[in-house]
Amino acid sequence: EFFTPNKQLPFPKVLQRVALIAATGSDGERDFRHELLHNQYGYQFFLTLFPASVQGQSAVPELLQQLNIIHQQAADFDVVAMVRGGGSNTDFAAFDHYEIASRVAFFPIPVFTGIGHDRNTSIADLMAWQFKTPTKTAAAIVDTALRFETDLLQLKENINERWEAIVADRKTALHQWQQHMQLVVPHRLHRKKERLHDWRILVQKTARDEMKHYKSELAEKDKRLATNSMRIFQYRKMQLFQVKKLVENLSPEKILNRGFALVKQQEILVTNASQLDTALPMVTLLRNKKISSSITEISNNEG
């Protein structure tokens, strides 16, 4: 058992805003999405996919990049789910990488992992909250909502039990008082009956008043919960729309349409001239053209 800062983070009551790191279209993503969004309780979750390779040479940099992006938006999410389907032990090498494990261990919001099968455990799993598979990871998130609903139902039941106990106590007191009057002061029975009548009216009125108070209080809480839930839903929906528009505006297609070009070597995107190898061919991508060329010289651009 490893104790990391991430595993010591307190959970929100409901993990509703989920950042998912997975390979687009993979079995892991499909299993997680189906379990979360089609859960048997009908709970609603807000899922944002941050696609990344989960094996191969590009896996580590892409996973780190998506973790950095989510870190910058940490206030918008309750939990990060990092999932992938099964495979051989060598397929999970990226999740044993030091930088991935370190970033997960100190991540500011809870990280749930569902990597591989039940028998698989990576270093990243040990640094986070491990739930073995994508399906079990989604089920763990659904369980938080179930526990929250259960707590609400228990609160309602406690209020009802409290009300019933009050009524039972008053009835018991009334019964004892009746017996006392009949056995101890029979000669004053008539007067006591009159007083008993007054007590009965008082008890009934008090019980009605308390019941009305509890019902009013519960109705007010239900109203606030519904109002706050709708407000939060609308706010998160607006945020999701803004993020979607931002992602669309930053897509490679729109960047190329504005006259920029992308440079690749061996299918790897070049973002800095220091990455270029003069011995290898270079591919330049324009909006509707692909140019293959070789590098004869690399020099500083003086303006």
Side-chain angles (χ1 to χ4, degrees):
E1 178 73 21
F2 287 82
F3 295 93
T4 66
N6 187 264
K7 295 170 75 170
Q8 307 305 311
L9 292 174
F11 283 9
K13 290 291 185 181
V14 178
L15 301 175
Q16 196 170 29
R17 303 169 300 164
V18 182
L20 173 62
I21 299 178
T24 303
S26 64
D27 290 341
E29 186 219 356
R30 285 194 296 270
D31 291 346
F32 180 90
R33 186 182 293 275
H34 183 271
E35 182 72 18
L36 186 72
L37 302 184
H38 301 281
N39 63 86
Q40 61 179 315
Y41 309 106
Y43 299 141
Q44 290 188 347
F45 296 90
F46 307 106
L47 179 63
T48 304
L49 176 63
F50 292 84
S53 298
V54 292
Q55 67 182 66
Q57 294 183 349
S58 62
V60 171
E62 289 187 20
L63 289 171
L64 286 173
Q65 181 185 23
Q66 297 297 34
L67 284 170
N68 288 337
I69 293 174
I70 298 172
H71 189 286
Q72 295 171 2
Q73 307 171 21
D76 297 333
F77 298 101
D78 300 317
V79 66
V80 177
M82 185 181 295
V83 304
R84 69 149 288 159
S88 64
N89 289 334
T90 57
D91 292 337
F92 305 111
F95 299 97
D96 290 330
H97 195 278
Y98 172 79
E99 288 295 332
I100 298 295
S102 175
R103 195 66 52 86
V104 169
F106 292 94
F107 212 71
I109 58 177
V111 178
F112 286 10
T113 58
I115 301 170
H117 299 299
D118 287 338
R119 66 180 181 274
N120 301 123
T121 296
S122 66
I123 297 177
D125 285 319
L126 298 176
M127 300 296 103
W129 294 85
Q130 183 187 19
F131 293 96
K132 293 295 186 180
T133 68
T135 298
K136 290 182 178 180
T137 303
I141 295 174
V142 173
D143 284 345
T144 63
L146 177 61
R147 286 194 296 271
F148 180 68
E149 183 182 26
T150 301
D151 291 342
L152 288 181
L153 293 175
Q154 184 62 51
L155 176 61
K156 182 178 180 180
E157 184 177 344
N158 291 343
I159 292 174
N160 289 336
E161 289 178 354
R162 175 60 178 163
W163 154 244
E164 291 173 358
I166 291 174
V167 173
D169 288 344
R170 296 299 170 85
K171 286 183 177 180
T172 299
L174 180 60
H175 179 69
Q176 292 174 347
W177 183 250
Q178 287 175 325
Q179 289 182 329
H180 173 76
M181 288 193 299
Q182 291 172 358
L183 296 175
V184 178
V185 286
H187 60 282
R188 301 175 60 185
L189 182 60
H190 179 72
R191 189 169 63 179
K192 294 299 182 181
K193 282 185 177 180
E194 291 180 347
R195 294 185 61 186
L196 177 61
H197 177 72
D198 295 338
W199 270 98
R200 183 180 291 112
I201 293 175
L202 177 61
V203 169
Q204 292 175 347
K205 182 179 183 303
T206 302
R208 286 195 300 269
D209 290 345
E210 289 187 2
M211 183 176 181
K212 182 178 179 181
H213 170 73
Y214 283 123
K215 285 186 175 180
S216 175
E217 189 177 64
L218 183 59
E220 182 63 27
K221 288 182 178 179
D222 286 342
K223 182 179 179 181
R224 287 202 302 270
L225 180 60
T227 301
N228 291 339
S229 298
M230 182 57 67
R231 186 181 299 114
I232 292 172
F233 173 77
Q234 294 296 335
Y235 176 68
R236 296 308 179 196
K237 184 177 180 182
M238 180 187 68
Q239 284 189 320
L240 183 60
F241 176 77
Q242 293 173 345
V243 171
K244 179 181 177 184
K245 296 299 292 184
L246 177 61
V247 171
E248 290 176 351
N249 290 332
L250 295 178
S251 67
E253 180 180 328
K254 292 203 173 182
I255 291 176
L256 293 177
N257 286 338
R258 292 201 293 269
F260 292 95
L262 299 176
V263 177
K264 289 186 175 182
Q265 270 193 334
Q266 292 187 320
E267 296 303 320
I268 297 177
L269 185 65
V270 177
T271 59
N272 191 294
S274 62
Q275 297 176 247
L276 291 171
D277 187 342
T278 57
L280 297 175
M282 180 179 72
V283 175
T284 304
L285 300 176
L286 300 177
R287 181 173 64 87
N288 55 3
K289 297 294 181 181
K290 177 180 178 181
I291 303 171
S292 299
S293 58
S294 58
I295 302 173
T296 58
E297 180 184 359
I298 298 176
S299 59
N300 293 329
N301 182 1
E302 301 297 340

